[in-house]
Every structure is written in C-alpha cells, then in structure tokens.
Amino acid sequence: MTPAELEVAELCAELIRVDSSNYGDGSGPGERAAAEVVMARLSEVGVEAHYSESAPGRGNVVTRIEGSDPSLPALLVHGHLDVVPANAADWSVDPFAGEIRDGYIWGRGAVDMKDMDAMMLAVLRQMVREGRRPRRDIVFAWVADEEAGGVYGAKYLTANHRELFDGVTESISEVGGYSLEVDPDLRLYLIETAQKGLSWMRLVADGTAGHGSMLNSSNAVTEVAKAVARLGSHEWPLTLTPTVRQFLTEVSDAFGLPFDPENPAPVLDKLGPLVRFVGATLSHTTNPTMLSAGYKANVIPGQAEAVVDGRFLPGYEDDFFKTVDELLGPNVRREFVQHDIALETTFDGALVESMIAALKAEDPTARAVPYCMSGGTDNKTFFADLGVRGFGFVPLRLPKDMDFAGMFHGVDERVPVEALQFGVRVLDRLLLNY
C-alpha cells in the first residue's frame, strides 16, 4: 500500500475525534481544534499553510502546492471541517470516538465530510514526501461553517482572502464520485455537476388582533395556514434539466431499461436508497418547516409566520417564484431567510476526462455519470462567484448494500476503510495528472 492508503483511515478517525459540531447559532465548539489537526499534519511534512479565523474559534486552513506548468490554471480542492450535531443516545457507538471496526470508520463526519478532509491530507502528505509535483497549482482548503451556510468559511475567505484563490478556475468538493453497483462488471460513479437553488422563505400574514371568542374576518393564523397548506401540498410538475435528463438516460442504459421522460419511476427504482439524492431533482420542492403565531389561547394575534424550505431547479428560478407567489395569495408576503442560486455545468472538459480516467485506472468497471444535487455546497454558494466551475467528486467505491444516502446527517454514520483507500488512489492520480 502507498503511504496515503496506510494513513488515511487514522487521519479520518483523528478528525472525527474532534467535536466540531455546528449548531448554526454560534454556540458550537467551532472548527479551530480540527483546523489545528490539519495544520499539525501539514507541518509534519514541511507544508506551510494560511490559517485564519473569521470569528473566535471558526478556523480555516488554505495551502497551495505549486505545479510544474505555471501556464495552467489552478485547481481548488476543498472540504469543510464542521459537522452537524449528533445525539449520542441514538448511536450504537460514541459519535466522536472515531472508532475503526468491522472495516468501517464510525462517527459524525465520516462521510460529511471528514473522509474527504483526510483524503486531501493523506494525498498531499504523500505528494510532498515523495517530492512529486502536480502539473498545475493545487489549492487545498479546509473551511468552516459549511453546514450553516458558509458565512464563517467560504464566504469569509472569498471576501477577505481572495488572493488565496488566484488563478483557480475549477474545483472539486463533496457529494459526488461515489459508486452505485449495477452488477459485478459495472459500477456507476455519480459526479455532481448541478445543484438546485435554495430559498428559505419566511411567510408573514398581518391581521386584526382581537378576542378569540369574537368573529374575525382578518385572522393572520388562518391566512398563513392556508398558504402553508397550498405550498406544502402543491404537486410540482416533472421538469428534467439537462443534467437530470443525461443522468436518467445513462442509468436507463446501464440497467437495460427504456427511458420514458414522462415516467422516470422505473429508473429511479433502480437507485435504491440513492433515490433520496436524486428523486428531488426532478421538480421544484416547497416543504413547510416552521410555524409561529400567538401567545395565548383566547387572543387572536395580529401577525403569524411560517418558514418554507424551497428548492428550485437550475434555469427555472423565475418559474418557481411565479408559482410560489400565486400559491401564497394576496394576504401573505414572503421574505428571504436565505437565498442561494441554482447552478449547472456541463459534463465535459479536461477535468471531467481526468476524473473519468482516474476512476477507470483504479476500477475498470467504472462508468462516470453526471447528476444534480437536491441540496447545495460551498462549490455553489461562494466559489462560483469567483468564476470557479465546481464539481462534486469524493471518489469512494462502496459496497453494493451500503445505504450511503442514509449516512449523511444520519445515525451511526460510517465509511468503509477500503473506500477511503480507493479514494486516495484516485485522488492522487487526478491531482498529479490533470
């Protein structure tokens, strides 16, 4: 085994043992301790890095490895150091023990995304120890706060340390590059090329406050409730973006199924648990998540609010909001809690070709296909504003029966050690040859 393969599991476990839970309200431990692990492991091989805090404890680490050809644009490889919280009582292991057993690394962040953080470290350390240089500059970034919008991570870095990303035109990061086994002779590797847009909307209705026992034709609670019901029960039409259409066509071909764009259900059924990643990318979605109104049982409040998590397809933002406003009606207004663009790039170019070649070199059964994420990452949120073309590519060859989608923010999150070892081999090939 290569040095990267030998150490990647322990690097991942070491990072998991650092509780970097992000509660979204500033009350968590922050990413400083995890960033210090990264800095220490870089220092061991003589790599200097830029460390900065956007707020106390919110640590970010960025370093650049110079390539042999300065005429080539740089590539950004980034991962986030924060994780979502974990309730230990729900787990069969301590979520922050970084336990390695049964061929898996267990713990919060094992797939989201301290696996990639460790793979980046392992490949970089091996590259430096062996004195190998990539063809182009590679910028490695371990950032804060992705799980709560990236304000203290990618947003801070791109706004305050833009120079760290000079020359970068493309990037790779999370939620892509993982396998779906069709049969022993064919594995599909899903590479993320598109992400739905995000619109967390606060719905507000104003009414006439009054006594609960009296007639009231201007009840704010009623207006918000009706709007929430309309949005939550609305059946958004099937809309296939170029990425989703290409994905479904490729999957249909792999499983020997006819592709009917009017009825993709037979294809989706072949995805198993991964349908949770893909199913929501065939249409817009609007899911009510919060309600707030009133303070006493016999008092009609003068205002009522709700929050809806809206996700819109790339290229269809105007269509989405036109329908949302029609469903809200005249008595409810919407405000943005958070709004992010949708993004879509094509599945072509030298980077895509290099990803495919690296996968096939390590897995001859590999067939790469593009797909759209129903969520979003830092690739979209801030790095795209710098003109960076982003892909989701964390290469993992997974067991056929593994519920990979269920690992994200799930209980007993874990990743196979062999998948990480496969990943560092692919990542090493990609970064050195691209």
Side-chain angles (χ1 to χ4, degrees):
M1 284 191 181
T2 65
E5 290 176 83
L6 290 171
E7 71 175 8
V8 66
E10 185 51 45
L11 286 172
C12 183
E14 182 180 18
L15 287 167
I16 289 172
R17 291 174 193 133
V18 178
D19 182 355
S20 52
S21 297
N22 188 343
Y23 293 90
D25 58 4
S27 64
E31 298 84 2
R32 177 189 292 167
E36 288 173 345
V37 170
V38 172
M39 294 285 286
R41 298 296 162 257
L42 293 177
S43 179
E44 284 177 353
V45 294
V47 173
E48 295 184 0
H50 174 275
Y51 175 77
S52 59
E53 291 191 356
S54 50
R58 311 309 300 268
N60 298 275
V61 181
V62 183
T63 192
R64 180 185 289 253
I65 302 299
E66 291 189 1
S68 59
D69 187 348
S71 70
L72 294 174
L75 174 69
L76 170 64
V77 184
H78 62 99
H80 62 82
L81 292 170
D82 60 323
V83 298
V84 297
N87 182 5
D90 297 333
W91 287 55
S92 62
V93 298
D94 180 345
F96 296 104
E99 185 175 341
I100 303 177
R101 65 175 171 87
D102 302 328
Y104 285 79
I105 306 165
W106 298 65
R108 177 58 84 220
V111 302
D112 189 15
M113 62 173 300
K114 290 180 176 178
D115 56 345
M116 182 59 163
D117 293 331
M119 289 160 60
M120 291 161 57
L121 265 178
V123 169
L124 175 52
R125 282 161 59 90
Q126 176 175 284
M127 192 183 302
V128 172
R129 280 170 167 160
E130 296 178 353
R132 295 180 297 157
R133 293 180 67 187
R135 295 179 61 236
R136 67 189 65 236
D137 284 12
I138 308 291
V139 177
F140 292 85
W142 292 264
V143 304
D145 198 37
E146 193 276 341
E147 296 291 1
V151 171
Y152 297 103
K155 182 177 183 179
Y156 165 78
L157 288 172
T158 54
N160 296 279
H161 298 284
R162 171 65 183 83
E163 72 283 355
L164 295 172
F165 308 102
D166 283 349
V168 170
T169 59
E170 294 171 307
S171 69
I172 59 173
S173 189
E174 62 180 328
V175 200
Y178 52 88
S179 68
L180 168 64
E181 186 172 324
V182 176
D183 58 49
D185 297 320
L186 177 60
R187 290 187 186 88
L188 301 180
Y189 285 85
L190 282 62
I191 298 177
E192 179 260 298
T193 60
Q195 300 181 18
K196 291 178 77 174
L198 176 148
S199 182
W200 292 346
M201 297 172 285
R202 179 179 292 106
L203 312 184
V204 183
D206 296 310
T208 302
H211 200 287
S213 67
M214 299 180 182
L215 296 176
N216 189 317
S217 60
S218 180
N219 189 312
V221 177
T222 301
E223 292 300 327
V224 158
K226 289 191 293 186
V228 165
R230 288 193 294 267
L231 278 175
S233 60
H234 181 67
E235 294 186 10
W236 291 94
L238 181 71
T239 305
L240 302 186
T241 63
T243 294
V244 171
R245 182 178 291 273
Q246 186 175 353
F247 171 79
L248 293 174
T249 301
E250 293 272 10
V251 174
S252 297
D253 179 70
F255 282 97
L257 297 171
F259 172 51
D260 180 358
E262 301 300 322
N263 180 29
V267 181
L268 295 176
D269 288 344
K270 293 294 185 179
L271 300 179
L274 288 181
V275 74
R276 282 176 282 181
F277 276 150
V278 177
T281 65
L282 277 64
S283 69
H284 303 307
T285 57
T286 41
N287 287 311
T289 55
M290 300 172 68
L291 289 168
S292 176
Y295 56 90
K296 196 172 186 294
N298 64 346
V299 178
I300 298 172
Q303 190 174 86
E305 298 183 358
V307 174
V308 172
D309 184 335
R311 309 284 173 137
F312 52 89
L313 297 168
Y316 293 89
E317 182 173 354
D318 291 343
D319 165 76
F320 173 78
F321 284 113
K322 180 178 183 293
T323 302
V324 165
D325 290 340
E326 290 173 353
L327 292 170
L328 289 180
N331 299 321
V332 178
R333 65 182 184 275
R334 60 176 171 85
E335 305 168 350
F336 286 139
V337 176
Q338 186 171 335
H339 176 264
D340 286 330
I341 62 169
L343 200 62
E344 186 167 34
T345 189
T346 52
F347 191 57
D348 57 16
L351 178 55
V352 170
E353 292 171 3
S354 294
M355 288 190 284
I356 293 171
L359 285 169
K360 289 188 74 66
E362 295 298 333
D363 181 0
T365 73
R367 178 175 172 180
V369 297
Y371 89 106
C372 178
M373 269 189 69
S374 58
T377 72
D378 288 340
N379 260 341
K380 175 184 72 175
T381 311
F382 303 112
F383 293 117
D385 290 343
L386 302 183
V388 175
R389 183 184 184 215
F391 295 87
F393 188 70
V394 178
L396 298 170
R397 187 172 62 199
L398 301 170
K400 184 175 183 178
D401 59 351
M402 181 178 179
D403 180 5
F404 186 61
M407 296 295 104
F408 284 80
H409 299 188
V411 172
D412 286 344
E413 183 180 348
R414 58 196 180 275
V415 65
V417 172
E418 288 186 354
L420 291 189
Q421 293 168 341
F422 170 84
V424 295
R425 295 196 301 271
V426 173
L427 198 60
D428 183 75
R429 286 182 180 274
L430 173 65
L431 300 187
L432 284 169
N433 298 325
Y434 172 51

